[in-house]
Amino acid sequence: MAERTQPPTVEPSELRRRLGRTGVWLFSLSRTATADEARTAAAEIERLGYPALWVGEAPDGREAYTNSALLLSSTERLHVATGIANIYGRDAVAAANGAATLAEAWGYRFVLGLGVSHKPLVAPRGHEYSAPLRLMQDYLDGMDQASFGVLPLAERPPRVLAALRRRMLELAAQRAQGAHTYFVPPEHTAKAREILGPDPVLAPEQAVVVETDAGRAREIAREYAAFYLSLPNYINNLRELGFSDDDFAGGGSDRLIDAIVVWGEPETIAERVRAHHDAGADHVCVQPLADSVGTQTEHLRLLAPALLG
């Protein structure tokens, strides 16, 4: 039997075109929304004109690949990206072949975002959290050696790496189509772009609160930020951006909260998204913070003219 040739790799410029300038990031579709609510939300996000939808993966939530299948099956044009699929959740061969299955089945609308997660999330699964950079390098090697023998693929599913600091960003530039950053201000986007260079895709998440009352908006933002401010990876990244222990205390200083989460009228939120673009982002995935996926979808409707116009 002749050896099967590897399918072509998607160029970053093509992935940039597919994702568009502004997409959506919804953790609720991984944790709190029912399957029917998730289907409805994905279809509405597509109808509103957003070109891409990012979903996370948590130990107590939906598995990333099957969740992506749920969302892809509910839409016709929307690109679905994992932000991120935890590499401790499946071995490299399963990751590669699962991504190939999703891509081929749904018109190559799947984008694989991969990440090393965090020690407090990995240890309860029975894994030892090892050196993140080396682990990711070995994992990518395993993916690249995997052979998807079901049928010829038109292309390898595009992948991006969750990356915050220099060495993982450099790996994203070398071994993926780009990087997905999370819980970051535009200042980090400028730094990440400098490290990545001009070609790789840079796709930061931006949390938003559609609320003009400062007290209420920051209350919602602090509820969101509390979990991330408990994780060393995010704290260390914020320290490199000039934040200190005073900013991390008490749920986060106003300076920190306002840097990470933008709140206000749609145009104010659009200005922050433009700031990421001006700093070097190719695609910004907006995450509205609200108490239900229905409210989040309504906020995306309100934001669409400012974000997509």
Side-chain angles (χ1 to χ4, degrees), residues 4-10 18 100 103-105 107-108 148 151-158:
R4 190 187 297 272
T5 58
Q6 288 285 2
T9 300
V10 177
R18 295 179 190 180
E104 191 275 333
Y108 297 90
F148 188 72
L151 75 173
L153 292 174
E155 63 186 39
R156 291 189 188 186

Side-chain angles (χ1 to χ4, degrees), residues 163-232:
L164 291 175
R165 302 171 77 187
R166 175 173 292 277
R167 295 181 71 189
M168 195 65 78
L169 285 164
E170 290 173 344
L171 185 65
Q174 297 160 5
R175 301 291 304 276
Q177 276 77 30
H180 173 47
T181 57
Y182 190 95
F183 204 70
V184 295
E187 291 77 10
H188 182 273
T189 296
K191 177 182 175 182
R193 173 52 70 195
E194 181 179 357
I195 294 169
L196 286 170
D199 293 332
V201 172
L202 177 55
E205 173 263 1
Q206 176 61 63
V208 310
V209 179
V210 183
E211 171 62 64
T212 57
D213 179 80
R216 177 58 185 149
R218 288 178 178 142
E219 179 184 359
I220 295 169
R222 285 189 171 94
E223 291 174 2
Y224 158 79
F227 172 70
Y228 302 104
L229 292 178
S230 72
L231 298 174

Side-chain angles (χ1 to χ4, degrees), residues 28-41 62 67 70-71 293:
S28 59
L29 301 187
S30 302
R31 295 196 71 209
T32 58
T34 67
D36 283 344
E37 288 172 337
R39 293 187 187 100
T40 299
R62 287 197 176 94
N67 195 28
L70 170 71
L71 300 170
V293 68

Side-chain angles (χ1 to χ4, degrees), residues 100-123:
T101 300
L102 291 170
E104 191 275 333
W106 280 287
Y108 297 90
R109 292 190 285 125
F110 177 68
V111 179
L112 178 58
L114 289 168
V116 296
S117 189
H118 307 270
K119 185 175 181 178
L121 301 181
V122 168

